[in-house]
Every structure is written in structure tokens, then in C-alpha cells.
């Protein structure tokens, strides 16, 4: 039969990859918990009624739907399929869909469990999501998101808190210098629309959001086709100078817009506080930053790399006021989302994963395995138990076989120390310690094994 | 609109539950890594061709299939649905299914990546699986499995190693005394069949496997209806006495069966080694243990609770010789699987979760939030940064509001210490430390804050 493979758009993770991914997850987790965020988890699938019509037409198409089981399949709407009404047909045979993001599950969770939650609710969540995107380089159908949100708190301290969270994570990863925080406020965009008498605000934001993709000329063309004064718009929002200069310019322009002024005040407050607390945070006020999603109402931001190898946003988020309103709950909140897969690529390309994770040592010590009387195995297992109790990763070679083959395994697995102990050694109450890196070996008395192992614990070749 | 809910058979996990689940996962993970097991992860869904016909007819029915997206739906086999050929119909609109267990994904992984794997391959994997079982108390459609396997190693040291792994986990959880390991060997069962001239071995094993459900009389009836001497069978396999006495009896019975003798030798070897290494491991040789799955070829075992509140097996596994043969790879292996959800119930009912996880403290210190000049916020954030850098979980109350409301929040969240600092305090360069448990409070100089925080770090009320 053919060699089996994983489905397109999905990945198997090797031990080395799992460990690196865990390293990233743990840094986000620990940083979030230190700031009082609590973890929740939601199921891999939600009811379709929960997911549908939340992600726009494009999103709806990318939902993975789960086929009903058993006799429920008999309800298949045959007319619908004959008439090519694919949506109606799929709804007749499916009631559940795979998680598309962590935001809708969060709002469902909050609405469902509001009686048990003490607000403000600070939660983080690290789980995979699934989208039926066409698989291509760097884009997967299964990928992780790491979200942190504060729900039920309208003040700007949430913005400070969550920007500090991302900043802490990047500092701990050693990547803080390689990224810049771009920040804007939806109220400023609304103010610009107000002053310029732009009626279709959503269209305006959608166009702005394409700047990265189609460039300045591209968005000018789009604004123009919407009957807007494209040159004027761009002169207002594409600003030179430092943050203070930019703010001064936009402030003057928005003098007649109450909402615009409010946006500027909010932005200034955040910049002031972060200027006091996080002096090493690189911030860029950027009036072209729009963040496409409809639910944002205030601060919006994204964190982008300043190096060339990685592009796109690494973290993004914003203020929303009615996230759970779909589910009958109004609560203001602020949320950030780490683009986990892109973060992984950044840390990899900056070579910032700890060395011990790159080497992926499965053990520091391997005991050889020879054909010896059972009670001698008892001696080996006792020593194994001692090393493990010391927190030193150690293995007993799984089969009785030739020494060469065992050493070859240790070599391939990069295990730095091998303890050779067979019938000859037992006769002399001794064992041989082989240093695989340096190639040398020495013979010791069995009674000294515990001391030798203690020394290995201190020796620095990773994998405790 | 109606309050939204998660789908039947699935669960949301609250912060407290997530932390407890992480605690269990980490103990399994750390114990496995100390023994040289490496983690892998596989995608949530596999191709249907990988999953189908691997779990028997019942299992096939319980697979969650994923509906094809977009135009692929047009390939729906309308004739099949009209003729009620549900399987054929679903195969026309689905190519993928959710992971049903971790065993088939492991064999697919090993077959697919065999060039990159150094055998023997010791892997562990902790991921959710999905089954369309009818939801009922304690049975979910989404649940976690934790598997550890050694592939490509035929020797009995694997049995020792993996039984030590489970034993280590239970010792670390403090639940070692509350469980017993039941062990048998398929070769012994085969030997019994040989001596008793039972032709339908699979039927014999299936019946034996029902002992827990239908009792001795039940299996006697089934054996009888298969034309077998039920009394004789039961007298051979239902044995009184200690392990040594049981082994002596079965050994005599199997004197003429080579395979049976081999099974006994294997079992004795494992018992001998474990008797030397894991003296506190409670083991029961049990000739009625069958483990239903077809692929077992040697040692089989399960770990069951000896307390009444929890029933069923907590860990189970066995030796297989041809696991990946479906995928064109023959490799002998030994694997164990922790029943994660049941293990959780056991530890919960034994009250063995660490106290700090039961309390679920989100922070040790809360700083109050009052309307003060921006630069004063800088002072508070600076102190927050210091506490967090000390590894003390701490929060700044998210909104400016009345003291009472802030204290109420700290109370509900069980935060033990509150630092009250508003305009009055700033005027006097002071702050108030409130001990929420004891209700008392004291005023200190602002310059002393760092020392006070240091003391709080040492103070023992959980949540560093």
C-alpha cells in the first residue's frame, strides 16, 4: 500500500518541534499568569449556530463542518443539492463546526457562564483553530492561537496591561528589539471620516486595511472609485515625523470632531503610561492602521517585525464594546492575539530558541543492556532510579544487543554519557563511563556510581 | 436570543479545571521525559483512508467525519442517500475524520517518518480525541488521551520501563496505594485455548473481556453457547491464591503448550524485575484479563482503582507486533495509555490535587486603582513590575472605582493582599497594606514598598 500521509494543510510535530512550541506557549502562559490572567479551554467544535454569520461570507466558507452521525444523515436535503444550494445542503447534514478562532468561543463562554464569572474577567487561551484555507507555504488549516482578553473593564488600563503582556513575552524571548508596536484608535479613524464627510466608514476601513497588500497607489485608486478625495485622505493619515509630531498634526485636523479628539486623548494616555513604564518599547503611532474586523471600537494595534525574513503581524488586537452582544451580553473588553505560528518563525529565524531545545537531547545518560542474570538487572534499574530521582534524564538501552549497536544509538540520539556495564564489569564490581562527545572512557568501582552520577548532574551538557 | 451553549458531550474548562488538568499532564510529561520519552503531536484530523476500518464496525460509526468544503460538496452521491446507503453517501462528501485515538496516528506517523526516526522510538503524546458516543455521565465526545509507546524494541525491558512510568506517575500523584496493576499475557490465553482445543480464539477473548460487565455466570453462559466447557475454562483461569500460587497452577496446566510456557516465562521475568525495582507496586496476576483489542500479542495489563468511588481502568496497554502493518511497516512495540479523564476523577475524589490548585488564586497582591495624575500611575506600574519580576502574581485593579468595589473583587477572587494607594497616600508618600484574610491593615512609607513585597513573597499564601 502507499505510504500514508497527514492531510494537506496539517502538520505532524516532531519531538524537537513540540518542545520548541511548548517553550513559546510556556513563556506566554507564565507571563500571562504573573499578570493575573486565568486559563480557560473550550471544545474543538461549537454548534454551527454559534459560529455561523460571525466571520463574514469568506469566513463562513472556511468553516470546517462536522458531518452528522448515524440516522441524522437521512435528513440530507436532496432538493438543495440538486439545485446546487450548497449552504442549505450542508446545514441539513451538519450541526457542528470546528473552532475558527478563540474570540467567538470566548464570547459564547462568557455569555454562557456569566453567573460563575467575577468581572472584570482576565482570561488567556492557547488552543488550535481550524480553517479550510487553501494550504500554501506558511498557511495551514490547523494552527495555534494564543489570546488574552480582559472583559468587563472599559478603562484604558487594559490597553496598558495587555501591551505590557506582549512586551514582556518579547523581552523574555529576546526579540523585543526586532519588533515595533503600531498603534491607532478607531475613534481617530471615525473622526477623520467625520471631518472628511465619508459616509461609508466600513468601506473606508476595508480599503485602509489593504494598504500593506496594494500599496499607497492602490488605496488611492480605491478611495477615488468610492468618490472620495484620495489625495486629501492620504495627506491626513500618512504622516511623517515622530509620534509627537504625528499626534500634533492629526489633533489639528480633528479639532472639530469630538470622537476624533477622544481617540487622540485615549492614545495619548496609553503612550504616556507606557512611556513611564516600558521605556524600551518601540511604538509607532500609525493613522493608517485600520484592523479589518468590525467589532473594534477604540484602540487598535499590531506588532510587526523590523527584520526582513518574517513579515505580517506577530500580535494584534484592540478594544471592543459589544463582543458578546451576539449572545445577549454587552461587555466592553480589550484583547490581544499572538500569531503563534508566525512568532515561531520569528524566533527560529532569529535563532533565539534555547540551545538545549535545538539539540533535543532525549537523555544525558544511557545504561547499556547486556545479557546478565536478573538480579544484576536489579542493580542497573536501581541506579537508573537514582539518576532519575536526581532529575537526570536517563535511559536503559531497550534491547540486549551488541555494544556497537548500542553506542551507535547513543551517538545518533546525541546522548553525552554511556554507562557500560555487562558481565565482565559485574565480575570486577566495576563499570565503564564513556564520554561520547570526547570519545574517552574510564573504569570505576560500582560503589562509586552514585558519585559519578552526581558529577554528571553538574556537568553542563543539557538535558538534566 | 437564547443563551448559547457548548455542544452536548463537550466541556468548557474553567481556570480551576485547566490548572488541574495541566498539573496531571505535567506529571505524566515530566515522568516520561525523565525516562527518555519524546513528545510528538499529530493533527486533529486524519484522512479517512487512514482511520477507516481500524476500529471495527462500532468504531467506524463513532468517527466524526468532516464535511468537504466548497464545490467538492457537489460530488454528493445522491443515489446513495436515496437508497439509504449512509456510509457510501458520507464517503462521497467527506475525506477527513477527527482523531479517534492516538494509536492509529502514531502508526501513521511512524510509517510516514520512518526515515527520520532512530529506532527504538520512545514517544509520548497527550492530545484530545473525539468519538461520536452518545453523551452520558462521565462519557464525553471530546476527551484526552495520554499515550506512551516504545516502537522497534521486542525485548521485555519495555514492559518494565512503561510499567515503571505509570508507577512513577501514580507515586508522584500520591495515588499509588489506591490502585492495583492487573497483568496477563496473550500467549498464556493462547496456551489455554490450545490445551482446551478452543478454535475461535477471538471469540474466546471477546467473551473473557466481558467479565466485568456480565460477571462469571454471564461468561459461563457465553462459553457454553460457543460449545465450550465453561466450567473447565473458569476453573483454569479464575485462580485463587497469591501470584506465585496462581503462576504455579497455570504453569502446570500449560505444560504441553509451548506458547503458553513462553507467556509464563515472560510474565515471570517482568514480575522478577519489578519485584527488585518497584517493591511498592501492587501487582495481581490475573488470567481473566483479556484486553479486547486484536493487535495485542504478548503482555497485557490494566491498572484499576481499589477504592469504590471510581471504577474502570485508569491505565492500560500491551505488547503488539504489527501495529503499523496497516501502513506497510512491521515493528514490535509496547504501549500504555492513561485514561486521562478517569485519572482526573480519581485524583479529585481522593482529594489529591495540590491545595493551591483548589483555591485557584489569580494573584497574591492587588494594587487599587484611583483617579490620580498620570505620573503617579507610573509609580504604581513600577511597583507592579517589581513584584512580577520577583515572580509574585500581581494585578492592578482594572478600572477606577470606589474602594469598596475593588476590595469586593479582591475578596471574591481570594487575593490575600491589597495595596491601597490613592491621592491621600501619595500626599504622605505612604501606602496601606491590607491583609484580606485577617482583615487588618497597616500603613507604610512608600520607600518601604519593595521590602514589604519581598516579605509577601515569603509569606506562604500560595500563588507566588
Amino acid at each position: 500500500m502507499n505510504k500514508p500521509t497527514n492531510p494537506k494543510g496539517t502538520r505532524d510535530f516532531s519531538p524537537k518541534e513540540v518542545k520548541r512550541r511548548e517553550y513559546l506557549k510556556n513563556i506566554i502562559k507564565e507571563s500571562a499568569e504573573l499578570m493575573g490572567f486565568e486559563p480557560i479551554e473550550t471544545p474543538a467544535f461549537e454548534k454551527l449556530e454559534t459560529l455561523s454569520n460571525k466571520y463574514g461570507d469568506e469566513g463562513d466558507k472556511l468553516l470546517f463542518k462536522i458531518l452528522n452521525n448515524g440516522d441524522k444523515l437521512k435528513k440530507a436535503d436532496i432538493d438543495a443539492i440538486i439545485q446546487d444550494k450548497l449552504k442549505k445542503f450542508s446545514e441539513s447534514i451538519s450541526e457542528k463546526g470546528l473552532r475558527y478562532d478563540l474570540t467567538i468561543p470566548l464570547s459564547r463562554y462568557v455569555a454562557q457562564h456569566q453567573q460563575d464569572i467575577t468581572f472584570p474577567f482576565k482570561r488567556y487561551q492557547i488552543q488550535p483553530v481550524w480553517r479550510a484555507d487553501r494550504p500554501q507555504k506558511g498557511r495551514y488549516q490547523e494552527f495555534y492561537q494564543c489570546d488574552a482578553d480582559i472583559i468587563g473593564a472599559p478603562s484604558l488600563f487594559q490597553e496598558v496591561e495587555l501591551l505590557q503582556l506582549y512586551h514582556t513575552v518579547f523581552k523574555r524571548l529576546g526579540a523585543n528589539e526586532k519588533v515595533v508596536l503600531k498603534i491607532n484608535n478607531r475613534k481617530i479613524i471615525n473622526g477623520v471620516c467625520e471631518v472628511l464627510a465619508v459616509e461609508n466608514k466600513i468601506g473606508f476601513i476595508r480599503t485602509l486595511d489593504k494598504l500593506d497588500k496594494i500599496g499607497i497607489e492602490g488605496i488611492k485608486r480605491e478611495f477615488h472609485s468610492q468618490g472620495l478625495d484620495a489625495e486629501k485622505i492620504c495627506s491626513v493619515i500618512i504622516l511623517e515625523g515622530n509620534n509627537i509630531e504625528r499626534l500634533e498634526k492629526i489633533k489639528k485636523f480633528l479639532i472639530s470632531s469630538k470622537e476624533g479628539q477622544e481617540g487622540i486623548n485615549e492614545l495619548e494616555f496609553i503612550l504616556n503610561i507606557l512611556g513611564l513604564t516600558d521605556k524600551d518599547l518601540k511604538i509607532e503611532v500609525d493613522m493608517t492602521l485600520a484592523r479589518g474586523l468590525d467589532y473594534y471600537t477604540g484602540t487598535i494595534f499590531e506588532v510587526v517585525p523590523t527584520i526582513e525574513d518574517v513579515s505580517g503581524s506577530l500580535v494584534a488586537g484592540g478594544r471592543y464594546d459589544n463582543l458578546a452582544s451576539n449572545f445577549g451580553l454587552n461587555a466592553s473588553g480589550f484583547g490581544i492575539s499572538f500569531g503563534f505560528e508566525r512568532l515561531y518563525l520569528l524566533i527560529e529565524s532569529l535563532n533565539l530558541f534555547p540551545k538545549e531545545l535545538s539539540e533535543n537531547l532525549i537523555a544525558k545518560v544511557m545504561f547499556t543492556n547486556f545479557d546478565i542474570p536478573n538480579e544484576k538487572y536489579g542493580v542497573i534499574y536501581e541506579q537508573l532510579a537514582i539518576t532519575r530521582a536526581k532529575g537526570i534524564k536517563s535511559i536503559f538501552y531497550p534491547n540486549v544487543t551488541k555494544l556497537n549497536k548500542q553506542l551507535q544509538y547513543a551517538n545518533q540520539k546525541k546522548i553525552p554519557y554511556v554507562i557500560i556495564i555487562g558481565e565482565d564489569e559485574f565480575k570486577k564490581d566495576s563499570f565503564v563511563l564513556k564520554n561520547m562527545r570526547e570519545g574517552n572512557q574510564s573504569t570505576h568501582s560500582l560503589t562509586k556510581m552514585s558519585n559519578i552520577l552526581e558529577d554528571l548532574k553538574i556537568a553542563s551538557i543539557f538535558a538534566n
Side-chain angles (χ1 to χ4, degrees), chain A residues 131-184:
Chain A
R131 295 181 188 176
D133 256 320
R134 187 182 295 273
Q136 50 179 271
K137 196 174 174 298
R139 186 188 286 173
Y140 306 103
Q141 296 195 334
E142 174 178 65
F143 56 97
Y144 269 75
Q145 289 195 335
C146 305
D147 281 20
D149 289 77
I150 307 180
I151 311 252
S155 90
L156 294 168
F157 297 103
Q158 281 48 257
E159 272 82 336
V160 174
E161 181 93 345
L162 282 161
L163 293 173
Q164 286 192 324
L165 171 59
Y166 112 72
H167 189 216
T168 305
V169 167
F170 277 72
K171 275 197 284 189
R172 286 192 57 186
L173 291 170
N176 177 37
E177 305 276 308
K178 309 295 185 189
V179 298
V180 61
L181 167 68
K182 297 195 170 210
I183 191 165
N184 195 10

Side-chain angles (χ1 to χ4, degrees), chain A residues 117 127 170 206-207 225 260:
Chain A
I117 294 173
Q127 291 193 283
F170 277 72
R206 291 271 149 79
T207 299
S225 74

Side-chain angles (χ1 to χ4, degrees), chain A residues 366-389:
Chain A
M366 183 182 96
F367 288 75
T368 55
N369 190 342
F370 298 112
D371 193 9
I372 50 177
N374 279 359
E375 68 274 15
K376 298 297 184 194
Y377 285 126
V379 175
I380 290 179
Y381 274 109
E382 197 186 335
Q383 294 300 335
L384 257 179
I386 292 171
T387 34
R388 288 170 179 167

Side-chain angles (χ1 to χ4, degrees), chain A residues 5 87 138 156-157 159 170 194 209 212 268 388 399 407:
Chain A
T5 52
K87 190 161 188 276
L156 294 168
F157 297 103
E159 272 82 336
F170 277 72
E194 194 186 328
D209 209 31
D212 276 352
E268 283 185 333
R388 288 170 179 167
N399 298 317
L407 291 179

Side-chain angles (χ1 to χ4, degrees), chain A residues 226-283:
Chain A
Q226 289 162 25
L228 301 173
D229 184 344
E231 291 300 329
K232 178 73 186 165
I233 294 173
C234 288
S235 76
V236 170
I237 58 172
I238 301 178
L239 299 173
E240 298 292 318
N242 63 28
N243 290 338
I244 295 173
E245 291 161 353
R246 290 177 186 200
L247 279 167
E248 284 312 312
K249 278 182 206 155
I250 196 79
K251 209 185 276 188
K252 271 184 206 148
F253 180 77
L254 292 178
I255 198 96
S256 65
S257 164
K258 197 168 161 253
E259 190 177 5
Q261 292 289 342
E262 213 175 288
I264 291 168
N265 290 341
E266 291 185 8
L267 189 45
E268 283 185 333
F269 178 84
I270 296 163
L271 294 176
N272 275 337
I273 300 283
L274 288 177
L276 292 166
T277 60
D278 292 65
K279 297 189 183 76
D280 53 346
L281 181 61
K282 275 196 261 178
I283 309 186

Side-chain angles (χ1 to χ4, degrees), chain A residues 67-75:
Chain A
L67 201 59
N68 289 339
N69 283 72
D71 283 350
K72 276 193 177 177
L73 264 192
K74 291 183 184 163
K75 291 184 186 159

